Amino acid sequence: MTDLNAVLAAAAADFDNSLERLFRLVRIPSVSTDPAHAADCETAAKAIVADLKQLGFKAEARKTKGRPMVVAHYTPKQARPGTPHFLFYGHYDVQPADPLELWATPPFEPVVKTEKGVARMYGRGTADDKGQFMTFVEAARAWIKATGSLPVKATFLIEGEEESGSPSLVPFLKAHAKELSCDAAFVCDTNMWDRRTPAITTRLRGLVHEEVTITGPRIDLHSGVYGGPAMSPIRVLSKVIAALHDKTGRVTIPGFYDGVAELPKATRKQWQSLDFSEARFLREVGLKLPAGEKGRSVLEQVWARPTAEVNGVWGGYTGAGTKTVLPSQAHAKFTFRLVGRQKPEKVLKAFQRFVKGLIPKDCKVTFSGRGGGSPATEIAEDNPIIAKSAKALKDEFRREAVLMGSGGSIPICRSFKDILGMDSILVGFGQNDDAIHSPNEKYDVESFRRGIRSWVRIMGEFGA
Ligand code: BES
Ligand code: MN
């Protein structure tokens, strides 16, 4: 048996235990955004460290101002000066499970259910990102079990704040640049093209947040006594929201599209050749009509165009029954997905100017977003590491890997490039219907199994 086949066999023989190890991690409610779960994040980090130590990694949960960072190194016994060194990145933190009542089974009690012949594991974090990064860990385990070592030098960086915008990551990368700089980073936090077709993601959108509060009257008012003469902040906020897009779906903020280039012809053609059904994409979420910029395909709208979204809006009385109130304040949370060379700070400034222009003289607006944000990431498709990874994926799936975009954001990819000079190779095994960030998040058991096998092959591809 060749090394590779022996390693794949070891992964297969141990697969039930791999699942159990993943479930142990999913049972820890490591929600990063909620301080009430800080101890759970620590427990999760420690569990991963213990597991990696057992495999022979030098592993530690490093303190940060926020959640601990798991850093682990493995130097193969047969390492030579030319042995490649890769960073493997994932995140152990998860999104809050709310709304709880919409879960069919409790979010932190993972179960496998077989539906229409497809085995799926349900639980918060099964897909985003515990099931995904555990494919690295289990692939490493199989290599070490079958051959006594890994074929490449490996550094694992599993962070605990990705779902909160990774506030500790940039300072951490800067402080440990030497330790963390590798030939490239592999990131397992994206999707396959479809159930049968692997993918490498080469574009991610950037992201920036803002929160707006509009204040009208000094206090909440009786809507009979003051209704009419008193301006309602909810009315003002609604105007702002309604003004964000024109009737072709284009964002109206002046300067918003600065740095957004049209797609190269060849890319547009490649995307047109992909087997993608816009109707099915929308049907799966109960919709029919694309709402993005008219004249652009859905793939272009998601992968290559920026957006302005309202994530939440509140104000006034929203409890049971009625209340004749004219509220003092109205609030909304916004996010902007960025592409090309759009700069987060510039987009924020342009948005603030735009909002201020729509506020009547005796209302007030304040902005309380935390700033920051990250620009889009694009990875050159002729990168030789992409070619080798694509070959390994083809060996596993017997289908050519699709080079695709993603509408989501993984801000660290930009930081890896800007701070450590490293490209990110994004290979993930999620499916579009995994319901990440939603109730009933799931990960296909096949995603996990073939994800592990794929990393076994990718690691092998770069070994001697
Ligand atoms: N794994 C996702 C990003 C993603 C989703 C990539 C689907 C490809 C397909 C990641 O964990 C995530 O959700 N990122 C956040 C950004 C973060 C700063 C909160 C996002 O995209 O909203
Ligand atoms: Mn993720």
Side-chain angles (χ1 to χ4, degrees):
M1 205 159 25
T2 62
D3 264 6
L4 186 66
N5 285 329
V7 180
L8 290 171
D14 203 34
F15 186 65
D16 286 345
N17 296 321
S18 301
L19 263 179
E20 185 41 43
R21 281 185 288 266
L22 169 56
F23 278 17
R24 238 178 270 160
L25 213 51
V26 175
R27 286 186 195 111
I28 307 169
S30 44
V31 178
S32 58
T33 198
D34 184 352
H37 287 292
D40 294 316
C41 290
E42 215 150 286
T43 307
K46 281 189 184 144
I48 301 162
V49 165
D51 204 15
L52 288 171
K53 270 189 176 160
Q54 240 187 11
L55 293 183
F57 277 72
K58 254 177 71 190
E60 277 176 354
R62 306 271 186 89
K63 274 210 166 57
T64 71
K65 278 192 180 151
R67 310 294 171 252
M69 197 79 76
V70 175
V71 182
H73 300 289
Y74 191 99
T75 303
K77 300 191 180 77
Q78 73 286 12
R80 294 171 293 105
T83 303
H85 185 181
F86 294 115
L87 184 113
F88 294 86
Y89 167 90
H91 61 93
Y92 68 77
D93 64 318
V94 301
Q95 286 273 327
D98 315 68
L100 284 177
E101 65 278 13
L102 296 185
W103 284 78
T105 56
F108 299 108
E109 294 172 28
V111 285
V112 174
K113 287 191 224 169
T114 302
E115 294 155 335
K116 294 184 190 156
V118 184
R120 297 161 156 172
M121 39 182 136
Y122 281 89
R124 173 57 89 230
T126 50
D128 191 8
D129 183 45
K130 289 171 174 171
Q132 298 250 60
F133 85 72
M134 282 299 280
T135 58
F136 294 147
V137 176
E138 295 302 313
R141 188 187 313 276
W143 267 103
I144 291 166
K145 210 172 219 172
T147 71
S149 183
L150 288 183
V152 293
K153 274 198 231 173
T155 293
F156 280 24
L157 177 66
I158 314 295
E159 75 155 308
E161 297 181 344
E162 198 273 350
E163 301 293 1
S164 328
S166 308
S168 302
L169 196 69
V170 166
F172 194 83
L173 294 183
K174 285 185 175 154
H176 304 283
K178 192 140 182 267
E179 181 188 356
L180 299 173
S181 295
C182 297
D183 297 315
F186 283 110
V187 175
C188 194
D189 198 15
T190 50
N191 288 348
M192 291 176 55
W193 171 252
D194 62 25
R195 246 171 258 295
R196 293 152 61 206
T197 320
I200 299 177
T201 297
T202 59
R203 315 169 152 248
L204 292 161
R205 290 195 284 192
L207 181 64
V208 62
H209 303 256
E210 186 57 287
E211 189 168 324
V212 173
T213 297
I214 296 174
T215 308
R218 187 170 52 79
I219 46 170
D220 283 6
L221 303 174
H222 188 293
S223 70
V225 177
Y226 286 95
M231 175 52 88
S232 155
I234 296 183
R235 248 171 85 188
V236 177
L237 180 60
S238 310
K239 265 215 175 115
V240 168
I241 294 171
L244 269 179
H245 299 86
D246 69 13
K247 46 176 200 297
T248 70
R250 199 176 156 86
V251 176
T252 52
I253 301 168
F256 183 73
Y257 289 94
D258 290 357
V260 180
E262 286 299 326
L263 268 188
K265 271 211 184 82
T267 310
R268 187 181 301 270
K269 242 180 125 180
Q270 190 219 327
W271 291 0
Q272 276 162 354
S273 75
L274 293 172
D275 175 24
F276 178 78
S277 159
E278 300 194 344
R280 175 150 38 92
F281 178 76
L282 290 172
R283 197 184 329 117
E284 278 169 357
V285 295
L287 295 171
K288 283 199 270 301
L289 307 169
E293 293 168 88
K294 286 225 162 57
R296 301 183 187 274
S297 70
V298 164
L299 283 185
E300 184 180 359
Q301 288 176 12
V302 178
W303 291 355
R305 300 299 294 176
T307 63
E309 302 291 346
V310 195
N311 306 120
V313 43
W314 69 104
Y317 183 70
T318 57
T322 63
K323 181 179 183 192
T324 50
V325 64
L326 196 161
S328 164
Q329 292 197 317
H331 313 262
K333 287 180 190 280
F334 296 85
T335 46
F336 302 88
R337 296 278 170 180
L338 311 178
V339 304
R341 294 177 197 284
Q342 274 181 305
K343 291 202 174 74
E345 327 77 65
K346 266 196 72 187
V347 166
L348 268 190
K349 285 228 173 72
F351 172 63
Q352 294 174 354
R353 220 176 297 126
F354 174 83
V355 174
K356 284 179 189 156
L358 292 167
I359 306 295
K361 276 218 173 65
D362 64 350
C363 288
K364 207 179 75 198
V365 61
T366 52
F367 298 97
S368 53
R370 56 151 185 245
S374 65
T377 298
E378 254 183 71
I379 296 118
E381 297 192 342
D382 59 2
N383 184 317
I385 301 173
I386 290 190
K388 278 197 166 187
S389 307
K391 177 192 173 288
L393 289 170
K394 188 177 179 185
D395 289 346
E396 173 60 26
F397 290 90
R398 304 274 149 211
R399 289 177 143 237
E400 213 63 64
V402 173
L403 298 185
M404 67 175 195
S406 165
S409 307
I410 308 180
I412 47 94
C413 294
R414 257 316 264 265
S415 309
F416 284 159
K417 184 74 186 177
D418 297 346
I419 302 169
L420 304 180
M422 241 177 355
D423 280 323
S424 295
I425 315 297
L426 297 132
V427 182
F429 305 95
Q431 307 297 338
N432 272 329
D433 63 358
D434 282 346
I436 61 174
H437 298 201
S438 288
N440 304 308
E441 176 179 349
K442 61 90 176 156
Y443 196 46
D444 291 355
V445 173
E446 274 302 277
S447 284
F448 189 50
R449 192 178 71 83
R450 302 198 81 174
I452 296 170
R453 291 172 57 90
S454 297
W455 290 117
V456 164
R457 291 180 189 276
I458 291 173
M459 289 174 186
E461 198 63 41
F462 292 94

